[in-house]
């Protein structure tokens, strides 16, 4: 971007503006600069009082506040207490006194973190370093816990036992946390468990179950004892019951409001009785269709001669001589065996069923609806409001709607009562309408369907008028280019030839001037016009010098063709780029 060309364009545009436009622009710039300067000065002056006092400490405890005030009184330094935990002193002594108090260890209740190791002490023992490490860990944990939204103040204490050479005698470390909660805030069980895990993770060998948390009233948090568990469970059950009753009431009101004439003419209250005992059961189902799990088949075959048997009469001959039957080859032996084993499996389904959190035992609903109203004229001729109760048929229909909306069940013993009464708020707040109010009401009734579209039309008309009457004239004035005003100046003395009276007056004036000056009839009319025009231009130049200078600048620029020359130079510069 060529900043020189841009600056010349801005300068030319500013030269074309008249005095009023220049004043408006300069006033706007001065206003913006003044506003920004005010913001800078206002932000820079935060924390300082008007009388030269500034904050020394803020949010200190009463014990630290007493020590600080005692130090200020001994040093004869004036102070102010705008609040019970804020101390103000003269602005020029704030930093000096903070350093002095810090060197004295005040405020004492402030948390000390790992910055305690920034300063190394000569001759510090190992025991001192361990104590400092524990203090730093406690301070850092307290700061971290205080950064949580529900926590206003936290204090952490860590107990680290001595190391033992016997593993069986080792004692795990423990920690205790004291919390002060913000008003109207409470910690959920998940948040308590998160704080325990946070503390346990910062200390070696510390388990979450060895972290104890109490509130400012000394009540344990997250211990899981019977009392705490019962309180939390009772709160959850009560909240569940109230939410259910509220939802049923809203259903009843929403379904009756269009019929009765508005939600303010229906009142519904529901009472629900729940059974919060959860039941667990285990169910096993066996499939009567057997399923083959495995099958085994065994086959054995053998074929050959049968073992030979010795026959004959017992005795020496049979023992010594040839034995009968040994030479026979006719007998053969054949063996076959087949065995099949099939194992069947009985399919079984095991289901663990847990009951609902709450089951409805009984519902009761009481509903009161308003009646109808009509205006009538009494004997005195005044308009009055007359109450008309609903008919039995209408009440029966409303009763059916209420039962459907609440989920009525006769087997559960539910009850639903619907009554019709005159609402005092309606009748007491009624006032007879004047003719003007009746006319407005009828007009609203007639124009009601067109109101959404009419609003957009009205807004569009307002924007159009604003654009035509304000934005367009202002833009034209800002972009207005002063042209040659010779014709306008000439018109100041120009006479209309068609106006006969003006012509006669001009001739009479001319004759009188000639008589007073002692001139004859040879006086030139052009010379008089020139003299008058010259006098007029002198007066205009004296009254409006800036506008006349602007006219001459425009004439010179047009005569020399400076605008065309500058545009050509800009075009050549762009072409070179």
């Amino acid at each position: 971007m060529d900043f020189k060309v841009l600056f010349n364009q801005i300068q030319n545009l500013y030269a074309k503006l008249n005095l009023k436009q220049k004043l408006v622009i300069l006033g706007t710039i001065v206003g913006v600069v003044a506003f920004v300067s005010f913001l800078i000065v206002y932000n820079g002056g935060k924390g300082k009082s008007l009388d030269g006092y500034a904050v020394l400490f803020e949010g200190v405890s009463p014990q630290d506040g007493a020590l600080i005030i005692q130090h200020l009184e001994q040093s004869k330094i004036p102070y102010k207490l705008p609040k019970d935990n804020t101390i103000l002193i003269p602005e020029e002594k704030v930093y000096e006194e903070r350093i002095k108090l810090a060197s004295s260890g005040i405020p004492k209740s402030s948390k000390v973190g790992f910055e305690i190791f920034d300063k190394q002490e000569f001759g510090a023992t190992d025991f001192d370093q361990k104590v400092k490490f524990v203090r730093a860990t406690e301070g850092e944990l307290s700061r971290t816990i205080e950064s949580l939204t529900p926590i206003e103040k936290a204090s952490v204490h860590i107990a680290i036992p001595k190391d033992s050479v016997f593993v069986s005698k080792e004692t795990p470390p423990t920690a205790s946390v004291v919390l002060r909660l913000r008003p109207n805030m409470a910690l959920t069980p998940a948040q308590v468990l998160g704080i325990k895990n946070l503390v346990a993770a910062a200390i070696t060998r510390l388990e979450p179950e060895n972290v104890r948390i109490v509130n400012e009233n000394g009540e344990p948090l997250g211990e899981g004892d019977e009392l705490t568990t019962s309180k939390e469970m009772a709160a959850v059950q009560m909240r569940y019951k109230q939410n259910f009753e509220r939802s049923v009431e809203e259903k009843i009101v929403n379904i009756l409001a269009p019929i009765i004439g508005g939600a303010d003419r229906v009142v519904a209250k529901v009472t629900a009785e729940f059974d919060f005992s959860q039941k667990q059961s285990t169910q096993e189902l066996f499939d009567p269709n057997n399923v083959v799990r495995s099958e085994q088949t065994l086959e054995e075959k053998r074929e050959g001669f049968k073992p030979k048997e010795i026959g004959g009469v017992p005795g020496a001959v049979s023992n010594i001589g040839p034995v009968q039957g040994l030479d026979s080859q006719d007998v053969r032996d054949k063996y076959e065996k087949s065995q099949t084993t099939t194992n069947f499996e009985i399919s079984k389904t095991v289901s663990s069923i847990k009951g609902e959190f709450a089951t409805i035992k009984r519902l009761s609903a009481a509903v009161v609806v308003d009646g109808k109203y009509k205006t009538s004229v009494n004997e005195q001729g005044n308009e009055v409001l007359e109450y008309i109760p609903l008919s039995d048929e209408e009440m029966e229909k409303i009763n059916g709607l209420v039962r459907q909306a609440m989920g009525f069940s006769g087997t559960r013993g539910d009850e639903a009562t619907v009554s019709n009464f005159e609402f005092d708020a309606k009748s007491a707040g009624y006032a007879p309408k004047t003719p003007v109010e009746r006319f407005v009401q009828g007009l609203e009734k007639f124009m009601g369907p067109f109101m959404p579209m009419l609003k957009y039309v009205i807004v569009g008309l307002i924007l159009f008028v604003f654009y035509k009457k304000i934005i367009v004239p202002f833009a034209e004035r800002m972009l207005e280019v002063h042209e040659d005003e010779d014709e306008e100046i000439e018109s100041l003395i120009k006479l209309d030839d068609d106006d006969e009276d003006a012509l006669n007056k001009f001739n009479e004036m001319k004759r009188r001037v000639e008589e007073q000056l002692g001139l004859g009839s040879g006086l030139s009319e052009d010379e008089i016009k020139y003299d008058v025009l010259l006098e007029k231009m002198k007066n205009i130049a004296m009254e409006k010098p800036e506008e006349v200078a602007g006219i001459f600048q425009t004439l010179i620029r047009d005569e020399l063709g400076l605008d065309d020359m500058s545009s050509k130079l800009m075009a050549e510069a762009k072409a070179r780029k």
Side-chain angles (χ1 to χ4, degrees), residues 46-313:
K46 278 190 174 181
K48 301 178 182 178
S49 57
L50 297 177
D51 52 358
Y53 280 73
V55 177
L56 177 63
F57 287 106
E58 187 175 9
V60 295
S61 63
Q63 295 81 5
D64 290 337
L67 295 175
I68 294 171
I69 291 174
Q70 183 180 1
H71 170 79
L72 295 177
E73 289 177 351
Q74 292 176 355
S75 302
K76 296 182 181 181
I77 298 175
Y79 63 89
K80 290 185 178 181
L81 300 175
K83 293 188 295 183
D84 57 351
N85 59 353
T86 303
I87 301 176
L88 303 179
I89 64 171
E91 180 184 350
E92 62 274 6
K93 297 184 179 181
V94 170
Y95 301 105
E96 180 183 356
E97 293 303 318
R98 282 181 183 174
I99 295 173
K100 289 182 179 180
L101 290 170
S103 63
S104 302
I106 301 175
K108 295 183 178 295
S109 61
S110 61
K111 306 294 187 305
V112 178
F114 283 103
E115 65 272 8
I116 195 173
F117 292 102
D118 294 342
K119 182 180 179 182
Q120 298 294 334
E121 296 181 1
F122 180 75
T125 63
D126 183 63
F127 178 77
D128 295 336
Q129 296 295 327
K130 289 182 179 180
V131 172
K132 286 184 178 181
F133 178 77
V134 173
R135 288 185 60 195
T137 305
E138 291 175 349
E140 293 294 339
L141 286 174
S142 300
R143 293 173 181 174
T144 304
I145 296 174
E146 287 177 355
S147 64
L148 303 178
T149 303
I151 309 300
E152 182 177 356
K153 189 176 181 181
S155 180
V156 179
H157 302 280
I158 303 172
I160 300 179
K162 293 182 179 180
D163 297 333
S164 176
V165 295
F166 300 100
V167 178
S168 60
K169 293 185 178 181
E170 282 188 353
T171 304
T174 58
S176 60
V177 182
V178 181
L179 301 178
R180 186 169 68 190
L181 304 180
R182 299 184 187 276
N184 302 324
M185 299 194 75
L187 290 176
T188 62
Q191 291 174 323
V192 174
L193 181 60
I195 294 175
K196 285 188 174 184
N197 292 331
L198 177 67
V199 175
I203 303 169
T204 306
R205 297 186 296 110
L206 178 60
E207 299 296 333
E209 54 268 17
N210 291 332
V211 180
R212 298 293 182 263
I213 302 177
V214 296
N215 59 9
E216 66 272 17
N217 299 323
E219 299 175 350
L221 302 177
E223 293 301 321
D225 57 343
E226 185 177 354
L227 180 60
T228 305
T229 305
S230 60
K231 284 184 178 180
E232 294 176 355
M233 183 60 66
V236 172
Q237 292 175 356
M238 181 59 68
R239 188 160 51 248
Y240 181 85
K241 180 177 181 293
Q242 292 175 352
N243 292 337
F244 179 82
E245 292 174 349
R246 191 180 300 110
S247 64
V248 177
E249 292 171 359
E250 291 176 355
K251 286 182 181 179
I252 295 174
V253 173
N254 291 337
I255 198 172
L256 295 182
I259 302 172
I260 302 302
D264 56 342
R265 302 180 65 182
V266 183
V267 178
K269 294 297 177 182
V270 177
T271 302
E273 298 180 9
F274 287 96
D275 182 10
F276 290 100
S277 59
Q278 289 183 292
K279 300 177 181 179
Q280 289 184 339
S281 61
T282 303
Q283 185 179 11
E284 294 185 2
L285 299 177
F286 295 90
D287 191 357
N289 300 322
N290 296 331
V291 179
V292 177
R293 184 180 66 177
S294 63
E295 186 174 2
Q296 183 179 3
T297 303
L298 177 62
E299 293 184 359
E300 294 181 2
K301 290 183 181 182
R302 187 178 66 234
E303 186 174 355
F305 293 99
K306 186 177 180 180
K308 297 181 180 187
E309 298 179 357
I310 300 175
V313 179

Side-chain angles (χ1 to χ4, degrees), residues 386-415:
E386 183 181 356
Y387 171 75
I388 301 175
L390 300 178
S391 62
D392 295 339
E393 182 180 358
E394 292 174 333
M395 291 297 297
E396 186 65 27
K397 292 180 179 179
I398 292 175
N399 193 4
L401 292 175
V402 171
R403 290 170 178 262
Q404 291 291 332
M406 65 180 290
F408 184 87
S409 176
T411 58
R412 255 193 337 235
D414 296 348
E415 292 183 1

Side-chain angles (χ1 to χ4, degrees), residues 335-385:
Y335 172 78
E336 290 185 2
K337 181 181 178 181
S338 178
Q339 182 181 357
T340 302
T341 303
T342 303
N343 296 323
F344 293 92
E345 183 73 22
I346 300 175
S347 62
K348 179 177 66 173
T349 303
V350 180
S351 302
S352 180
I353 302 173
K354 185 177 181 180
E356 298 179 2
F357 175 74
T359 56
I360 301 175
K361 295 172 58 178
R362 186 169 175 270
L363 282 179
S364 300
V367 182
V368 180
V369 296
D370 198 4
K372 298 179 181 179
Y373 296 89
K374 74 173 184 178
T375 57
S376 59
V377 180
N378 57 11
E379 298 177 356
Q380 290 78 16
N382 298 326
E383 187 183 36
V384 295
L385 190 65

